[in-house]
């Protein structure tokens, strides 16, 4: 059995083919799919350690798949790869508490380093204390207020 089971959701880019090859050479079990429906079916059939999904304007369903993955398996790690020229981090990704977000273009080595860090965090999973839960609630409120503030600033500039 593979050390880690990884699900890649992509539109067939060469970077993800390279990542698939690199992960398999490191002993990971990789399932690469190109449609959100197939990804959700795979998540329902098998517990994966990591979901790597690409988020582009052509494929905005990546975050929806991440939501469904968390409902099916709360222990899954999620990594989102942002599309080219997409400099805005989606607010929904913050709310999902994804483990990592990387913007394209990036090198395969950088992508591998980020995936390895996500997988490494599986081994040292911290137990949440009361103070961490309170801090997460405070951070959520601050994030919501900042989102409103930035929206108002952006609106006045437009």
């Amino acid at each position: 059995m593979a050390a880690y089971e990884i699900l890649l959701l992509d539109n067939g880019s060469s970077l993800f083919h390279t990542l698939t090859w690199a992960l398999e050479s490191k002993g990971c079990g990789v399932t690469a799919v190109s449609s959100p429906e197939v990804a959700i079916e795979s998540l329902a059939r098998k517990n994966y350690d990591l979901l790597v999904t690409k988020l582009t304007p052509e494929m905005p369903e990546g975050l929806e798949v991440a939501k469904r993955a968390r409902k099916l398996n709360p222990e899954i790690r999620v990594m989102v790869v942002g599309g080219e020229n997409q400099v805005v981090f989606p607010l929904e990704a913050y709310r999902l508490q994804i483990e990592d977000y990387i913007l394209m273009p990036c090198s395969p080595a950088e992508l591998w380093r980020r995936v390895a860090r996500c997988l490494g965090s599986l081994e040292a999973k911290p137990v949440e204390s009361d103070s961490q839960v309170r801090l997460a609630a405070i951070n959520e409120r601050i994030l919501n207020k900042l989102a409103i503030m930035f929206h108002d600033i952006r609106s006045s500039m437009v």
Side-chain angles (χ1 to χ4, degrees):
M1 185 170 173
Y4 296 105
E5 294 296 327
I6 301 169
L7 178 65
L8 296 177
L9 173 59
D10 180 42
N11 55 359
S13 73
S14 60
L15 180 66
F16 271 69
H17 289 297
T18 305
L19 180 63
T20 300
W21 174 81
L23 290 169
E24 287 175 343
S25 69
K26 299 283 186 181
C28 297
V30 179
T31 304
V33 297
S34 60
S35 97
E37 296 80 21
V38 175
I40 292 171
E41 288 175 15
S42 293
L43 288 163
R45 280 182 279 149
K46 186 176 187 180
N47 281 337
Y48 290 93
D49 297 309
L50 176 66
L51 167 66
V52 181
T53 181
K54 190 170 183 182
L55 183 64
T56 62
E58 301 84 36
M59 198 171 137
E61 304 91 3
L63 288 177
E64 186 60 36
V65 172
K67 278 188 210 176
R68 297 283 298 272
R70 285 280 166 92
K71 286 181 183 175
L72 292 168
N73 178 9
E75 300 297 316
I76 194 169
R77 302 285 189 247
V78 179
M79 181 176 163
V80 175
V81 178
E84 294 183 27
N85 301 323
Q86 182 181 354
V87 295
V88 179
F89 184 79
L91 183 62
E92 189 64 28
Y94 274 118
R95 289 190 175 119
L96 285 173
Q97 297 179 354
I98 62 168
E99 277 64 42
D100 206 346
Y101 183 82
I102 187 168
L103 292 172
M104 297 292 277
C106 68
S107 68
E110 174 66 14
L111 194 54
W112 162 247
R113 187 180 67 77
R114 299 278 190 99
V115 168
R117 186 174 61 188
C118 284
L119 293 174
S121 68
L122 283 173
E123 297 163 359
K125 184 180 174 191
V127 177
E128 286 191 359
S129 65
D130 287 338
S131 62
Q132 288 174 328
V133 171
R134 283 194 310 255
L135 184 61
I138 292 169
N139 285 339
E140 179 70 22
R141 287 193 305 254
I142 291 170
L143 179 64
N144 286 334
K145 288 180 182 180
L146 283 173
I148 292 168
M149 222 169 49
F150 287 137
H151 181 270
D152 291 345
I153 291 170
R154 183 175 166 268
S155 297
S156 65
M157 293 173 80
V158 170

